């Protein structure tokens, strides 16, 4: 048994409360179980209990064994002095606050219903390799509960991405245009090269790029030069175009005191990448975007539809050279920024960026309209989303895909079943009206 099962039991009060008493025999009446604490300190805060004739307001701490209190060193941590009841499966020790006062304990082992334990054991009996622990039990859960949980997971995923954008915004001195620039730069790496492109954004400040947005030649020199992709080698030795950009980079590097190239050519990833995803191709596309879209943030914020955002990205092609070269000095027909790539940029940059701005400025309707963009995008298909679809989960749009991915990463893979509405429904049983979707 894991401790989160006892958290679940206490939160929903799924135990026999007849003649409820502490291990010392004092009568207990639970007036309010408290709220789950996501930070350091006791597990439940603001609980309201009557112990004997005295009413207490305080915290509740939960352990499998009472002796875990000492193992976790709570007896020397003043945050736990507010605990008014120690809820345990087995009371194998007395525990005390830092002032040595005894903390009343409630032992749950004899009060847990056998059918509740059986449902819990059926859920956690899935082997570690099983991708979805509740898969054999899913027919017991209505589509309503599945949909509610998927939507909740989607919101959590978008909120998490928006938190990352908000941190970037604060780091960049509350400059939303710079935030959009840095976020797009990293996103254009499409996982394999996200990290080096994020470093390149730091190496080529937006303030410098703004001065040269009218000239794609100078934009290329700055970005490709600082990326370490203009070096002379056997492929570029006779390439006048690359030689010209290299000379321009030298001039601009000295002018702005940028120092040596921020990245070396070997820091870019090519393994298992199609040529259309090579770093030089993505940088060329970024040059086209920065040249033709002088106000990144405003355009991304005010676009009213996926169609408008698609035009924003697709309508800013790379310079001619980078539509005919996969790498400096190496020719070949290069496709433009594809539909699937644009959809990923909308999902991973545009929506979180808009949500972060909406939260920052207090615009809840903008949060809703931004997330609704995901419903205009087609569903993503991969090994995880396909698994959930086969099990009967709704999977029609990118909103569904993002919710299912969040469900897998945040709940199924780490086995946080009792934090999930589906797992809670399977263990708790009873009517759906009793289900409370607490985090």
């Amino acid at each position: 048994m894991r401790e989160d099962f006892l958290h679940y039991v206490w939160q929903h009060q799924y135990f026999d409360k007849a003649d409820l008493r502490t291990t010392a025999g004092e009568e207990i009446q639970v007036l309010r179980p408290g709220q789950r604490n996501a930070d350091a300190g006791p597990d439940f805060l603001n609980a309201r209990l009557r112990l004997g004739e005295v009413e207490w307001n305080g915290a509740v701490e939960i352990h499998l064994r009472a002796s875990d209190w000492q193992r976790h060193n709570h007896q020397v941590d003043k945050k736990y002095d507010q605990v008014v009841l120690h809820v345990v499966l087995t009371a194998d020790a007395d525990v005390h606050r830092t002032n040595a006062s005894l903390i009343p304990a409630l032992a749950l082992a004899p009060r847990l219903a056998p059918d509740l334990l059986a449902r819990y054991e059926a859920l956690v009996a899935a082997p570690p390799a099983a991708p979805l622990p509740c898969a054999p039990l899913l027919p017991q859960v209505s589509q309503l509960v599945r949909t509610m949980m998927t939507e909740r997971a989607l919101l959590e995923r978008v909120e998490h991405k928006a938190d990352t954008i908000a941190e970037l915004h604060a780091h960049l001195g509350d400059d939303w245009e710079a935030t959009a620039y840095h976020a797009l730069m990293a996103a254009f790496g499409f996982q394999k090269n996200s990290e080096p492109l994020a470093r390149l954004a730091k190496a080529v400040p937006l303030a410098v790029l703004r001065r040269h947005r009218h000239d794609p030649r100078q934009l290329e020199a700055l970005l490709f030069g600082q990326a370490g992709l203009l070096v002379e080698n056997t492929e570029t030795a006779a390439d006048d175009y690359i030689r010209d950009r290299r000379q321009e980079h030298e001039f601009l590097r000295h002018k702005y005191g940028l120092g040596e190239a921020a990245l070396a050519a070997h820091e870019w990833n090519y393994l298992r990448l199609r040529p259309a995803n090579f770093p030089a191709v993505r940088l060329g596309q970024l040059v086209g975007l920065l040249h033709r879209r002088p106000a990144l943030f405003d355009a991304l914020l005010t676009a009213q539809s996926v169609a408008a955002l698609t035009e924003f990205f697709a309508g800013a092609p790379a310079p001619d050279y980078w539509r005919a070269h996969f790498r400096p000095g190496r020719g070949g027909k290069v496709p433009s920024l594809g539909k699937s790539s644009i959809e990923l940029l909308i999902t991973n940059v545009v929506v979180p960026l808009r949500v972060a701005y909406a939260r920052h400025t207090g615009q809840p309707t903008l949060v809703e309209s931004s997330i609704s963009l995901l419903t205009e995008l087609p569903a993503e298909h991969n090994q995880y989303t396909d698994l959930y679809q086969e099990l009967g989960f709704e999977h029609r749009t990118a909103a569904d895909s993002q919710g299912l991915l969040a469900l897998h990463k945040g709940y199924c893979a780490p086995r946080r079943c009792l934090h999930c509405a589906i797992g809670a429904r399977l263990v708790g049983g009873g009517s759906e009206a009793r289900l409370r979707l607490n985090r």
Side-chain angles (χ1 to χ4, degrees):
M1 184 182 294
R2 288 170 30 164
E3 198 172 279
D4 64 348
F5 175 64
L6 292 188
H7 289 194
Y8 168 81
V9 167
W10 175 258
Q11 180 176 354
H12 297 282
Q13 297 288 284
Y14 286 161
F15 57 91
D16 180 9
K17 292 188 283 295
D19 193 27
L20 196 62
R21 294 181 180 273
T22 68
T23 54
E26 191 171 31
E27 185 179 357
I28 304 173
Q29 185 179 359
V30 181
L31 305 175
R32 184 176 62 227
Q35 294 88 41
R36 287 289 299 272
N37 177 25
D39 299 316
D43 296 316
F44 285 82
L45 304 177
N46 301 315
R48 186 164 157 244
L49 310 167
R50 188 183 301 278
L51 302 178
E53 298 299 321
V54 181
E55 187 173 308
W56 295 84
N57 287 279
V60 172
E61 177 67 3
I62 296 178
H63 289 120
L64 290 175
R65 294 169 296 277
S67 56
D68 290 340
W69 182 277
Q70 282 86 10
R71 274 189 283 274
H72 298 167
N73 291 317
H74 295 335
Q75 71 276 10
V76 294
D77 189 338
K78 289 186 178 295
K79 288 193 295 290
Y80 291 85
D81 285 349
Q82 62 181 304
V83 172
V84 296
L85 184 66
H86 191 204
V87 177
V88 299
L89 184 67
T90 304
D92 62 344
D94 290 335
V95 303
H96 302 82
R97 302 180 181 87
T98 59
N99 64 2
S101 59
L102 180 69
I103 299 177
L106 169 64
L108 289 180
R111 296 183 172 274
L112 297 178
D115 60 335
L116 181 71
L117 284 169
R119 289 193 296 268
Y120 171 71
E121 289 168 355
L123 184 63
V124 300
L132 200 61
C134 65
L137 308 172
L138 274 175
Q140 303 175 32
V141 181
S142 71
Q143 191 63 48
L144 173 63
V145 173
R146 299 189 201 191
T147 300
M148 285 195 303
M149 187 59 212
T150 305
E151 289 176 352
R152 188 182 108 188
L154 165 65
L155 293 177
E156 291 173 355
R157 185 175 177 88
V158 173
E159 286 285 327
H160 176 71
K161 290 181 179 180
D163 288 342
T164 302
I165 295 288
E167 292 173 8
L168 179 63
H169 173 249
H171 179 72
L172 294 170
D174 297 338
D175 185 336
W176 284 107
E177 184 70 16
T179 303
Y181 164 65
H182 280 257
L184 276 175
M185 285 284 284
F188 259 79
F190 295 98
Q191 292 189 342
K192 286 281 188 176
N193 284 297
S194 290
E195 190 274 333
L197 267 170
R199 285 196 285 133
L200 182 60
K202 295 178 182 178
V204 188
L206 181 61
V208 173
L209 285 180
R210 278 173 170 159
R211 300 180 185 182
H212 301 280
R213 272 181 161 163
H214 63 284
D215 189 338
R217 173 174 172 268
Q218 293 177 327
L219 287 177
E220 286 177 74
L222 284 165
L223 289 174
F224 280 87
Q226 290 300 100
L229 296 178
L230 296 179
V231 295
E232 184 173 355
N233 53 39
T234 55
E235 292 181 334
T236 62
D239 192 316
D240 292 337
Y241 189 93
I242 297 301
R243 182 183 302 111
D244 174 77
R245 300 310 187 265
R246 183 165 58 245
Q247 292 171 350
E248 185 65 17
H249 172 247
E250 283 298 306
F251 168 76
L252 293 172
R253 180 173 67 83
H254 286 290
K255 178 178 180 179
Y256 294 110
L258 298 178
E260 297 298 326
L263 286 84
H266 70 266
E267 295 183 74
W268 296 97
N269 298 309
Y270 294 87
L271 184 64
R272 288 189 287 275
L273 279 183
R274 293 179 299 170
N277 287 325
F278 280 3
V281 173
R282 295 307 186 194
L283 273 181
Q285 292 165 349
L286 278 165
V287 167
L289 194 65
L290 292 168
H291 172 55
R292 296 174 183 267
R293 306 297 189 225
L296 290 174
F297 177 69
D298 184 66
L300 297 178
L301 180 66
T302 57
Q304 298 298 310
S305 65
V306 165
L309 288 165
T310 300
E311 168 57 26
F312 172 84
F313 287 109
D320 290 343
Y321 182 90
W322 300 111
R323 282 183 275 169
H325 290 79
F326 288 106
R327 299 175 74 155
R330 185 182 298 183
K333 185 177 180 181
V334 180
S336 59
L337 190 64
K339 181 174 179 288
S340 61
S341 295
I342 292 174
E343 290 167 357
L344 285 174
L345 290 171
I346 294 172
T347 299
N348 296 320
V349 179
V350 178
V351 171
L353 180 68
R354 289 166 61 135
V355 170
Y357 177 78
R359 292 190 319 187
H360 185 76
T361 56
Q363 301 183 61
T365 56
L366 180 57
V367 173
E368 295 175 10
S369 64
S370 299
I371 294 176
S372 70
L373 290 171
L374 297 173
T375 65
E376 298 181 40
L377 296 171
E380 177 184 349
H381 289 276
N382 55 47
Q383 59 177 324
Y384 302 115
T385 59
D386 290 348
L387 169 66
Y388 287 93
Q389 186 172 352
E390 290 170 5
L391 291 169
F393 283 80
E394 192 171 273
H395 188 218
R396 297 178 299 175
T397 70
D400 299 325
S401 301
Q402 290 293 297
L404 295 176
L405 289 171
L407 187 60
H408 173 77
K409 184 177 180 179
Y411 296 91
C412 301
R415 296 299 196 260
R416 296 180 65 239
C417 301
L418 294 176
H419 297 265
C420 168
I422 297 168
R425 179 70 180 86
L426 287 168
V427 174
S431 68
E432 290 178 7
R434 292 168 57 195
L435 184 63
R436 290 181 290 171
L437 300 181
N438 293 327
R439 299 191 181 201

